[in-house]
Amino acid sequence: MSSKEQEDLPPGQVAIKRLLRWGKEHPTIGGSVPKIDLESWILVIDGEVEKPLKLNWNDVLDLPKIESVSDFHCVEGWSVLGLKWEGVRFKDLVKLVKPKKKAKFATFECADRYTTSLSLEELSRENVLLAYRLDGKELEEGLGFPLRLVVPEKYAYKSAMWITRIKFTSKKERGYWESRGYSDTADVWKNDRLSK
């Protein structure tokens, strides 16, 4: 790794060449990668919103698509630089469901029972998206197929995989790792890994 690459990394991180695949190279919460059938998969978006939605796979593909290049940082200390994600910008979804005034957060629920939440302010950044392609290819099952969240400024446990529901809330809900001692802010540049 060049000194320039090391300078670009958050504290405590080391660059590796590619993302680790869950299930094969990394353990999952439920012990295995969920098997998702696109014919029956539905993304539910509800909670404190004026217009709740249920989107099937074709509905998601019909939404405005963006490409975003960003670095990916795991709380375990590894990073992958310059990944090209394709998908739907989160703030474009927000426009569709019209959150109520009291909505301040979103909780992401996943096919493996994983959960995490972020503020709508954090999710409104231009590079936050629901991704379905990585580096020109459809997401692999072990990387979150069919749909995962990408939040580049946070450790990867905030970038939920296998998303099935997005629930808008007025109060912050603690996610799987946050309720087990991990930092809720998960700020990679502040080395914010564990709750204080």
Side-chain angles (χ1 to χ4, degrees):
M1 177 173 45
S2 71
S3 59
K4 171 70 175 127
E5 280 179 327
Q6 189 60 48
E7 286 172 18
D8 291 341
L9 288 171
Q13 297 295 112
V14 174
I16 64 173
K17 295 293 183 189
R18 62 172 179 79
L19 290 182
L20 299 183
R21 274 74 173 159
W22 288 84
K24 292 179 181 176
E25 301 163 320
H26 216 288
T28 62
I29 301 304
S32 62
V33 171
K35 297 291 182 195
I36 295 174
D37 176 11
L38 287 182
E39 293 296 318
S40 58
W41 177 86
I42 296 288
L43 175 64
V44 175
I45 309 174
D46 62 2
E48 300 292 349
V49 296
E50 301 290 346
K51 296 184 174 183
L53 286 177
K54 288 186 179 179
L55 303 175
N56 65 30
W57 184 239
N58 287 328
D59 294 332
V60 171
L61 295 180
D62 285 342
L63 295 171
K65 178 180 86 169
I66 67 152
E67 292 182 359
S68 179
V69 176
S70 61
D71 301 335
F72 186 92
H73 309 290
C74 181
V75 73
E76 294 174 347
W78 56 267
S79 297
V80 182
L81 304 179
L83 294 172
K84 184 175 84 172
W85 301 97
E86 295 174 58
V88 180
R89 191 175 274 126
F90 184 82
K91 67 184 196 175
D92 289 340
L93 277 182
V94 170
K95 293 174 190 171
L96 296 176
V97 297
K98 302 191 181 310
K100 297 177 181 176
K101 276 192 174 181
K102 60 183 172 181
K104 304 293 180 196
F105 305 93
T107 296
F108 296 83
E109 298 180 4
C110 306
D112 66 342
R113 303 187 311 278
Y114 185 80
T115 60
T116 195
S117 67
L118 293 115
S119 72
L120 297 187
E121 182 180 354
E122 292 167 320
L123 292 164
S124 69
R125 293 178 177 161
E126 291 295 316
N127 61 358
V128 174
L129 68 153
L130 294 165
Y132 45 76
R133 291 177 67 81
L134 172 60
D135 292 334
K137 299 176 184 172
E138 185 177 83
L139 275 183
E140 296 176 30
E141 286 182 342
L143 295 177
F145 169 86
L147 195 66
R148 73 168 301 151
L149 182 65
V150 177
V151 188
E153 286 80 17
K154 304 290 183 183
Y155 287 115
Y157 61 89
K158 289 291 189 180
S159 292
M161 299 188 289
W162 311 300
I163 296 172
T164 56
R165 183 183 182 200
I166 304 170
K167 180 175 64 172
F168 286 72
T169 63
S170 58
K171 295 183 180 176
K172 181 80 170 194
E173 295 184 347
R174 290 167 64 93
Y176 180 89
W177 284 118
E178 297 85 349
S179 63
R180 288 163 172 79
Y182 282 70
S183 167
D184 192 38
T185 61
D187 189 318
V188 299
W189 296 104
K190 293 181 179 176
N191 204 13
D192 205 1
R193 300 170 196 263
L194 300 173
S195 298
K196 296 180 170 106

